[in-house]
Amino acid sequence: MFRFAAFCLLLAASATLSAQEQPAEPAGPIYYTMTPDIITNYQNSEQNLGYVRVAVDLMLERPEQLPLVENNMPLLRDALNDLLAEKNRQEIRSLPARTELASEGRQRLNELLLKETGETPVRRVLFTTFLYQ
C-alpha cells in the first residue's frame, strides 16, 4: 500500500514538473481584420470620381497590442479612408502603386498610434480585397 501511494505521488510530481517545463507559446504576429470594408471615392479624371472598396487586415507585432488597435479603430479607418481618397486613377489601379499604398498606410497608422498610445504595433497593412470602378 505504501509503495502504491509513493508511486502515485511520484507520478503526480513528475506530471507537474513536465507541465511547468513546457515553453510558453510564442508571442508572434497577430492579424486583425478591419470591418466593415473601407469604401471611398478617388479622383478618376478631372470631372469624374472613381469608387474603391478595400478589405484591410493589419498584421500586429504582438497579441497584447490588439486592444491598442481596437480602441483607436475610428482614427485608423479615417486615416486609411483619407489616404485612398487622395490617390488618383493610376495610383489606385496600378499593382506596384498599391504596394506603395500599403506601405504608406502602415506608416500613417503607426504615426497616429505613436501619438495616441506611444507604440507602433502595425507591421504590415494587407489589402485582402481591392475593388475599384
Side-chain angles (χ1 to χ4, degrees):
M1 179 73 172
F2 177 74
R3 288 182 184 170
F4 179 74
F7 178 73
C8 287
L9 284 174
L10 182 61
L11 227 96
S14 69
T16 303
L17 287 176
S18 67
Q20 291 174 352
E21 292 173 1
Q22 291 178 351
E25 291 195 28
I30 186 170
Y31 292 91
Y32 178 81
T33 301
M34 296 175 75
T35 53
D37 292 352
I38 295 175
I39 302 170
T40 192
N41 292 313
Y42 66 93
Q43 196 65 37
N44 191 12
S45 66
E46 288 189 24
Q47 305 228 344
N48 295 329
L49 290 176
Y51 161 91
V52 64
R53 179 179 180 168
V54 181
V56 179
D57 282 1
L58 303 176
M59 179 194 285
L60 307 178
E61 293 288 338
R62 296 182 314 277
E64 308 85 61
Q65 294 170 321
L66 187 59
L68 297 175
V69 170
E70 289 175 331
N71 292 338
N72 291 285
M73 190 49 59
L75 184 65
L76 303 180
R77 289 183 63 78
D78 181 61
L80 289 177
N81 193 24
D82 288 347
L83 177 64
L84 290 166
E86 292 170 3
K87 301 304 176 185
N88 62 36
R89 181 178 186 211
Q90 290 79 18
E91 292 170 315
I92 292 292
R93 294 182 177 207
S94 165
L95 192 55
R98 266 192 248 164
T99 303
E100 180 61 33
L101 184 65
S103 177
E104 192 176 338
R106 180 190 56 79
Q107 183 179 0
R108 278 198 192 186
L109 296 184
N110 277 331
E111 286 172 2
L112 288 170
L113 287 169
L114 184 61
K115 288 178 187 174
E116 294 295 318
T117 67
E119 292 190 43
T120 56
V122 180
R123 184 184 295 179
R124 287 187 66 191
V125 172
L126 306 161
F127 298 130
T128 54
T129 302
F130 202 99
L131 303 172
Y132 57 84
Q133 186 177 30

